[in-house]
Amino acid sequence: MFVLGLPYAILHGGYLGLFLIIFAAVVCCYTGKILIACLYEEDEDGQLVRVRDSYVDIANACCAPRFPALGGHVVNVAQIIELVMTCILYVVVSGNLMYNSFPNMPISQKSWAIIATAALLPCAFLKNLKAVSKFSLLCTLAHFVINVLVIAYCLSRARDWAWDKVKFYIDVKKFPISIGIIVFSYTSQIFLPSLEGNMQKPSEFHCMMKWTHIAACILKGLFALVAYLTWADETKEVITDNLPPTIRAVVNLFLVAKALLSYPLPFFAAVEVLEKTFFQDGGRAFFPDCYGGDGRLKSWGLTLRCSLVVFTLLMAIYVPHFALLMGLTGSLTGAGLCFLLPSIFHLKLLWRKLQWHQVFFDVSIFVIGAGAPRRPSPAGS
């Protein structure tokens, strides 16, 4: 969904924006690999054994023995922010797309967001990933149609492409938003430990990471460049807003469907983190379990889920700027989860086994992540 903001990143970054799309892919691929490496330790026979199961377990291991739970709390907060902000973005983009698709209707963008949220309320009743996976399948089909329509239109205007508009310059005030958008489009680290643990052949994880990031880099770079060349300085935050009214309405309807179908996954993941942290963490839980002995969701568990849906709506109404919100999230949690924490954890847990070039890469990535802009300019709004 966030690929729609990449042409806007090229608008404010030129060729540097394209370079960052490639650079972010390389860095995120590397940090994903070292994060998974932190799940393993060598046994007495020198064989690697998986001794940790999640990002939180890695964080806790790094903070032990003095603060055995501190790292997990930090990661949990970052994960919740990332997931909830993703949900908010889906509501924001749904309202934005519907408003721009039907500008003559007497319905405001905020009202469209409320309508979209009403359609999302059933997410509060999701119990497992089986139902979520069905939504994800439909989401993939919608994504395919969207890409074909947008690229086809851009190619039809290839003769008018503004190559002279792509320059080696950056908009200092707005480029930090572009950095956040690019980073956010690659964030996947919070899902990688679970993904690797469920692979039939975990030994092929590195190969999978390499080829998926190469493919993502090529597709995102081409999409961003082709779309920017088509509209140049008129490129908007959500690229579909540049399409002619007829095509825009069709594409936007598919995008709204994709946004609504994408919402259940981050929502369900956020609910799981909240329930595990505050309701199911053994004797350390702050509140009673959300589920009864028969496995049914209790009233306060349902209230928590409905409140989370309503919270995403309120945030979407008060911060209705797609690029600004996405850039802010990418700059904050995206940089932390993708750059800073994997590098720190790798150095902490595997320091004695690392080669000099691995230490150099880890330190360099940490410095780059720490030095990345943390506050996108309000001008992006």
Side-chain angles (χ1 to χ4, degrees), residues 12-78:
H12 299 302
Y15 284 110
L16 183 57
L18 286 174
F19 169 77
L20 282 176
I21 292 176
I22 300 172
F23 179 75
V26 173
V27 173
C28 289
C29 180
Y30 174 77
T31 56
K33 292 178 180 179
I34 64 176
L35 183 67
I36 296 304
C38 294
L39 297 173
Y40 291 83
E41 288 186 3
E42 291 184 358
D43 60 13
E44 297 178 353
D45 299 325
Q47 300 294 322
L48 289 177
V49 179
R50 203 175 199 263
V51 296
R52 304 178 186 95
D53 294 321
S54 66
Y55 209 142
V56 171
D57 291 341
I58 296 172
N60 286 333
C62 288
C63 293
R66 288 189 175 183
F67 307 101
L70 177 61
H73 292 326
V74 172
V75 170
N76 269 337
V77 170

Side-chain angles (χ1 to χ4, degrees), residues 86-215:
T86 302
C87 292
I88 295 169
L89 280 167
Y90 287 136
V91 178
V92 170
V93 78
S94 295
N96 177 279
L97 291 171
M98 292 302 294
Y99 178 74
N100 285 284
S101 297
F102 306 101
N104 295 325
M105 293 186 65
I107 302 177
S108 65
Q109 182 173 331
K110 294 180 180 180
S111 298
W112 280 119
I114 293 173
I115 294 172
T117 306
L120 294 170
L121 278 175
C123 291
F125 297 92
L126 291 172
K127 293 184 178 181
N128 53 58
L129 283 174
K130 185 176 181 179
V132 175
S133 66
K134 296 178 181 178
F135 292 118
S136 297
L137 175 60
L138 295 174
C139 174
T140 302
L141 296 176
H143 180 72
F144 177 77
V145 174
I146 293 164
N147 281 356
V148 170
L149 291 175
V150 175
I151 293 298
Y153 178 80
C154 291
L155 291 176
S156 70
R157 295 184 54 187
R159 293 183 178 179
D160 301 323
W161 282 356
W163 287 99
D164 59 315
K165 294 291 184 178
V166 187
K167 301 178 180 179
F168 290 94
Y169 79 99
I170 61 172
D171 186 326
V172 178
K173 293 183 178 180
K174 297 183 179 180
F175 190 59
I177 299 177
S178 301
I179 296 175
I181 291 173
I182 292 170
V183 171
F184 199 24
S185 73
Y186 283 105
T187 53
S188 64
Q189 270 68 2
I190 59 178
F191 302 106
L192 292 182
S194 176
L195 173 64
E196 192 265 352
N198 284 281
M199 290 180 67
Q200 292 184 357
K201 297 180 180 179
S203 59
E204 296 182 353
F205 178 82
H206 281 211
C207 180
M208 179 276 294
M209 287 291 288
K210 179 179 69 175
W211 288 109
T212 51
H213 278 76
I214 288 175

Side-chain angles (χ1 to χ4, degrees), residues 219-241:
L219 293 174
K220 290 176 182 179
L222 288 177
F223 182 90
L225 181 60
V226 167
Y228 175 72
L229 289 174
T230 304
W231 289 287
D233 293 338
E234 297 179 0
T235 300
K236 298 183 179 179
E237 291 183 4
V238 183
I239 195 60
T240 53
D241 289 347

